[in-house]
């Protein structure tokens, strides 16, 4: 596209990851790019420093907020064996070797060692699920408190998220904007996340959830216990998660800003 435009048509590029891919193609493309949309403040600063003629706009990824506004289904929690005083940690990720499943399962096991009302519910599947998740769960010491419902169909999925008291998200997948994490936040579920990729940008620690200082099982366990034991904090973060999602991920607001950018680049009046 950069070569075909020959400088006659403005090119707007969106970078969905927190880091920029390097290489000849990327370098050539950015030399001919007029504006870039990025989701990471650090990446924005990096691009502005390296490409002084490039206009770099900071944006938020969008989400269908009306789809993720379901009430909690208590019957679902009962099916998971959750008591009225129970606490459910959700995980939404393909079971792959790089997603730190052994660490997060070990962290949950530490938090649940003396708490039979804790549950870990893992949504998803994967070709390595036996070694990265099922085996660690069986060896965890609390196998009956770790559930694997598998893949959830698209229509049912938004109804499952509000049944969680917190969602644990460790490693971004193929979508650098961490859609599953954003869907949890939009559902009003506090997020416990690592600081990888865009996660610390999306998860405002103390407002929408907790960002982990490191990825050790002990740190994961402390974060789970903190939300488990502090109902006031949990309720505050749940409200903050939904509120900030509405403020940041609204499709209409993003579309208006994008259209205004296109108008400015083409010198078309608003």
């Amino acid at each position: 596209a950069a070569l075909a435009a020959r400088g006659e048509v403005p090119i707007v590029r969106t970078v969905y990851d927190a880091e920029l891919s390097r290489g000849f193609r990327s370098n050539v493309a950015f030399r001919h790019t007029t504006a870039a949309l990025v989701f990471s403040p650090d990446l924005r600063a990096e691009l502005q420093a390296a490409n002084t003629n490039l206009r770099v706009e900071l944006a938020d990824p969008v989400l269908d907020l009306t789809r993720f506004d379901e009430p909690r289904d208590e019957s679902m929690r009962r099916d998971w064996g959750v008591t009225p005083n129970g606490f459910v940690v959700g995980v939404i990720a393909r079971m792959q070797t790089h997603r730190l499943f052994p660490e997060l399962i070990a962290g949950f096991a530490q938090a649940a060692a003396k708490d039979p009302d804790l549950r870990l519910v893992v949504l998803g599947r994967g070709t390595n699920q036996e070694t990265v998740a099922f085996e660690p769960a069986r060896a965890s010491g609390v196998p009956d408190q770790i559930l694997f419902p598998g893949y959830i169909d698209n229509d049912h999925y938004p109804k499952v998220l509000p049944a969680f008291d917190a969602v644990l998200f460790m490693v971004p997948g193929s979508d650098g904007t961490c859609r599953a994490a954003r869907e949890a936040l939009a559902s009003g579920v506090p997020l416990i996340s690592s600081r990888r990729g865009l996660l610390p940008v999306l998860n405002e620690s103390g407002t929408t959830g907790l960002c982990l200082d490191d990825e050790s099982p002990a740190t994961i366990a402390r974060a789970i216990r903190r939300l488990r034991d502090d109902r006031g904090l949990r309720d505050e973060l749940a409200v903050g998660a939904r509120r900030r999602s509405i403020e940041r991920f609204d499709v209409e607001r993003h579309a208006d800003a994008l259209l205004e950018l296109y108008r400015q680049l083409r010198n078309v009046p608003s």
Side-chain angles (χ1 to χ4, degrees):
L3 295 176
R6 299 179 181 274
E8 299 175 3
V9 179
I11 294 177
V12 179
R13 178 178 177 181
T14 304
V15 182
Y16 291 94
D17 296 308
E19 298 179 354
L20 188 65
S21 60
R22 302 296 180 181
F24 175 76
R25 285 162 55 99
S26 179
N27 293 336
V28 169
F30 267 109
R31 282 202 297 271
H32 296 278
T33 298
T34 309
L37 292 174
V38 301
F39 304 118
S40 164
D42 291 342
L43 180 57
R44 182 189 189 188
E46 178 186 346
L47 285 174
Q48 288 177 325
N51 303 270
T52 54
N53 294 325
L54 177 67
R55 176 171 176 174
V56 186
E57 296 288 337
L58 187 63
D60 284 309
V62 300
L63 201 62
D64 182 354
L65 295 168
T66 59
R67 184 168 182 255
F68 295 96
D69 191 20
E70 294 282 344
R72 171 172 285 190
D73 184 350
E74 293 294 343
S75 66
M76 192 179 305
R77 290 168 63 89
R78 288 194 293 271
D79 291 343
W80 293 337
V82 181
T83 65
N85 188 44
F87 185 89
V88 182
V89 180
V91 173
I92 311 160
R94 285 187 60 81
M95 287 174 256
Q96 298 171 314
T97 54
H98 69 283
R99 302 297 286 267
L100 299 185
F101 270 92
E103 288 82 356
L104 69 87
I105 289 173
F108 172 80
Q110 289 184 26
K114 297 181 180 180
D115 189 345
D117 291 329
L118 244 62
R119 292 290 183 276
L120 178 67
V121 178
V122 180
L123 305 184
R125 57 194 177 196
T127 53
N128 297 298
Q129 60 189 20
E130 180 64 33
T131 56
V132 304
F134 294 170
E135 287 181 5
R138 286 193 292 267
S140 67
V142 289
D144 295 338
Q145 293 172 242
I146 303 175
L147 308 177
F148 296 94
Y151 175 79
I152 306 298
D153 69 77
N154 197 49
D155 292 335
H156 189 54
Y157 173 66
K159 298 177 175 63
V160 177
L161 298 184
F164 297 146
D165 294 294
V167 162
L168 182 59
F169 201 102
M170 297 299 294
V171 181
S174 57
D175 180 358
T177 66
C178 306
R179 186 178 65 183
R182 290 185 287 114
E183 290 167 344
L185 293 173
S187 300
V189 181
L191 187 63
I192 300 172
S193 75
S194 71
R195 297 181 181 272
R196 295 189 182 214
L198 285 175
L199 285 170
V201 176
L202 300 171
N203 187 21
E204 301 170 43
S205 195
T207 299
T208 63
L210 304 175
C211 283
L212 303 170
D213 292 330
D214 61 67
E215 299 171 354
S216 68
T219 299
I220 295 170
R222 282 195 296 271
I224 294 173
R225 289 305 320 178
R226 184 181 176 191
L227 292 186
R228 165 61 162 149
D229 296 338
D230 192 336
R231 179 59 184 268
L233 173 62
R234 192 163 78 238
D235 290 345
E236 181 181 331
L237 294 177
V239 172
R242 177 64 185 177
R243 185 187 72 248
R244 290 295 287 142
S245 295
I246 293 172
E247 293 170 353
R248 298 183 61 187
F249 306 144
D250 178 65
V251 174
E252 294 296 329
R253 183 180 65 83
H254 181 83
D256 289 341
L258 192 58
L259 284 171
E260 180 57 27
L261 172 63
Y262 291 154
R263 290 188 185 104
Q264 292 176 13
L265 294 179
R266 295 296 292 163
N267 296 315
V268 176
S270 299

